[in-house]
Structures are given as structure tokens and as C-alpha cells.
């Protein structure tokens, strides 16, 4: 994905397709994109749960929260029941659909309720904010780097290196 405070450029949009293509092996079943004013998501999907309908990105009921994830949410059934009891409406059986609904319901603290291995990006269209996160033990990879006016993120470094502004040096302090 790409986040730019000043908005995405044509270079960003072209690079996002290259970034996503670089990780086709992580999800050969589907390639999808989301573009907002200041964020772009590319997603490669390996269909495991809800093969037919579990397309990403996932949206909250009102469409204001958008998420992509590389994840296995072990407690998604429990979370789905809780969110449904509070008025949540789900369109799929996909485990990662709970992410935008939890964020919409609980804000940034929702991460503490997730049990599984995951890396995600959640974009709040109304505020323009982007939240990246991963599981507590780092099973699901999440890499990121700063670029002028924003940052790039992906599940593999080679995806980030597809963007022409990605830095190519080591950060020895890091």
C-alpha cells in the first residue's frame, strides 16, 4: 500500500500495480485495488475462508472504513456474533471481514480483541487516517518505509522496492 498526506500521484498508482504483482505468489487467487484520496491498497488473495465471497478490501457497513489484511483471525466467529448482536451486518463468512467492523465499533483499541496471525491496514475515509498493525508475535510480516510525504507498506520488502521512490540503503541504526 501507499499513503501520501498530499494525495496519491500517477506514479503511485502505477507503482501500486507493480508492488502487488511482485507478490503474486502470496495470493494467486485474486488481485484487487482500492484508491482513496491519500491511500492506495493492493491486495493479493489466497482464498481459504469464504472462497467465493471473501474479496478484499473489506468495508464497514457504512463504507467509511476500508481494510486489507494478510490474516487468519482464529476468533472471527466469536467476534462476528458479538458485532452482529450490536447491529453489525456481514456480507461474507471471511475471517478478515471482522476487522473494519471492529475498527468502526471500537476504534484503534480493536486490535486487542484479535486472536490470530495477522497484518492489516485500516483506512478511515472520514478522518483520512491509516492504521497499520500486526499480530503480537509478528507471525504475519509487515514492512514499511518512509518516502517523501508519506510511506509505503507491504508483506514483503521486494514489493516496496517496486516503487521508484523506495530508499535502497540500509538503516544501520534500525
Amino acid at each position: 500500500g501507499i499513503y501520501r498526506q498530499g494525495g496519491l500521484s500517477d506514479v503511485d498508482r502505477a507503482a501500486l500495480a507493480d508492488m502487488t504483482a511482485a507478490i503474486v505468489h502470496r495470493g494467486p487467487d485474486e488481485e484487487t485495488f482500492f484508491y482513496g484520496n491519500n491511500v492506495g491498497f493492493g491486495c493479493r488473495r489466497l482464498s481459504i475462508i469464504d472462497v467465493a465471497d471473501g474479496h478484499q478490501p473489506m468495508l464497514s457497513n457504512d463504507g467509511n472504513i476500508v481494510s486489507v489484511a494478510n490474516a487468519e483471525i482464529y476468533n472471527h466467529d466469536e467476534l462476528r456474533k458479538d458485532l452482529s448482536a450490536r447491529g453489525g451486518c456481514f456480507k461474507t463468512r471471511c475471517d478478515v471481514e471482522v476487522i473494519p467492523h471492529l475498527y468502526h465499533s471500537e476504534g484503534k483499541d480493536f486490535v486487542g480483541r484479535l486472536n490470530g496471525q495477522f497484518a492489516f491496514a485500516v483506512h478511515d475515509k472520514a478522518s483520512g487516517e491509516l492504521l497499520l498493525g500486526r499480530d503480537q508475535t509478528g507471525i504475519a510480516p509487515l514492512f514499511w518505509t518512509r518516502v517523501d510525504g508519506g510511506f509505503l507498506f507491504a508483506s514483503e520488502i521486494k514489493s516496496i522496492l517496486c516503487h521508484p521512490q523506495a530508499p535502497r540503503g540500509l538503516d544501520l541504526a534500525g
Side-chain angles (χ1 to χ4, degrees), residues 144-168:
W144 62 274
T145 189
R146 290 185 180 128
V147 292
D148 186 35
F151 59 94
L152 311 171
F153 55 95
S155 59
E156 292 190 23
I157 293 171
K158 71 179 178 179
S159 183
I160 291 172
L161 292 174
C162 289
H163 195 287
Q165 293 179 339
R168 302 289 197 281

Side-chain angles (χ1 to χ4, degrees), residues 28-129:
D29 298 330
E30 184 176 34
E31 176 183 55
T32 54
F33 296 93
F34 166 80
Y35 297 100
N37 291 335
N38 60 348
V39 68
F41 292 157
C43 184
R44 295 296 320 192
R45 181 169 183 243
L46 176 62
S47 302
I48 297 173
I49 298 175
D50 198 352
V51 175
D53 297 318
H55 312 290
Q56 293 193 52
M58 293 289 177
L59 301 172
S60 60
N61 289 332
D62 63 4
N64 285 325
I65 308 301
V66 183
S67 72
V68 290
N70 171 19
E72 290 181 54
I73 308 300
Y74 306 142
N75 63 334
H76 72 97
D77 284 331
E78 170 191 322
L79 294 170
R80 185 182 304 271
K81 286 177 188 172
D82 176 50
L83 290 163
S84 293
R86 293 189 276 152
C89 179
F90 292 87
K91 296 179 175 114
T92 77
R93 292 289 309 141
C94 189
D95 57 340
V96 298
E97 189 180 10
V98 300
I99 292 173
H101 294 287
L102 271 174
Y103 181 89
H104 187 263
S105 174
E106 300 179 19
K108 296 173 187 173
D109 293 336
F110 86 93
V111 179
R113 297 205 47 210
L114 295 177
N115 177 9
Q117 55 188 40
F118 52 85
F120 64 80
V122 175
H123 174 59
D124 184 331
K125 291 180 184 178
S127 70
E129 291 183 343

